[in-house]
Amino acid sequence: MTDEPRTRTGGCLCGGVRYRVVGEIRPVINCFCSQCRKTSGHHFAATRAGLEQFQLLSEESLAWYSSSDTARRGFCNRCGSSLFWQRRGTRTISITAGTLDGPTGLSTMKNIFVEDRSDYHDLPALK
Ligand SMILES: [Zn+2]
Ligand SMILES: [Zn+2]
């Protein structure tokens, strides 16, 4: 056994964006708000890490969209993967859990803004 912190990697569908995150990261939160619904096509499921834990390994196709006055969203401008959400002025980054290379070792902790989900959308059960 080692004391090395766990390192996870992830990236977009085409590989133009790759990242690494080192150490403990937050369990997954599903956000159903209208912005997350639009950007993900369903709901946004994300973990979160401190910026000091996070490193971009490739960002050749990474683009950012200012989705509100307070936040921006990172995506791949080639394959369209939705990757990151970042609140301005914070030292953290939310990372879409599905872009992590598995197994993630994560669990889902909660659903938020569930009242904003679309009418077809049954709430995912939490473990
Ligand atoms: Zn891509
Ligand atoms: Zn949201």
Side-chain angles (χ1 to χ4, degrees):
M1 295 294 289
T2 78
D3 294 317
E4 291 279 303
R6 179 165 181 170
T7 297
R8 295 174 175 88
T9 56
C12 66
L13 181 58
C14 76
V17 181
R18 293 288 302 165
Y19 63 84
R20 177 169 63 194
V21 60
V22 178
E24 287 307 305
I25 55 178
R26 192 195 65 194
V28 175
I29 292 178
N30 296 320
C31 184
F32 295 77
C33 83
S34 59
Q35 291 183 5
C36 285
R37 175 156 48 84
K38 292 287 186 181
T39 199
S40 67
H42 192 45
H43 70 259
F44 199 77
T47 178
R48 187 177 64 195
L51 288 183
E52 74 283 356
Q53 298 175 257
F54 176 80
Q55 181 186 10
L56 283 167
L57 304 175
S58 170
E59 54 184 308
E60 63 181 56
S61 54
L62 176 61
W64 291 94
Y65 172 68
S66 290
S67 51
S68 73
D69 291 342
T70 56
R72 63 178 188 163
R73 293 174 184 272
F75 63 98
C76 175
N77 67 17
R78 190 161 62 203
C79 72
S81 289
S82 183
L83 291 148
F84 309 122
W85 180 89
Q86 196 171 31
R87 188 183 295 281
R88 294 187 194 287
T90 63
R91 298 287 302 161
T92 61
I93 187 165
S94 293
I95 303 164
T96 50
T99 63
L100 286 164
D101 303 328
T104 68
L106 296 173
S107 60
T108 299
M109 67 185 288
K110 64 177 171 178
N111 299 320
I112 61 173
F113 295 111
V114 294
E115 63 280 2
D116 291 342
R117 73 189 187 281
S118 190
D119 56 359
Y120 73 88
H121 197 165
D122 294 330
L123 285 181
L126 300 180
K127 277 195 280 190

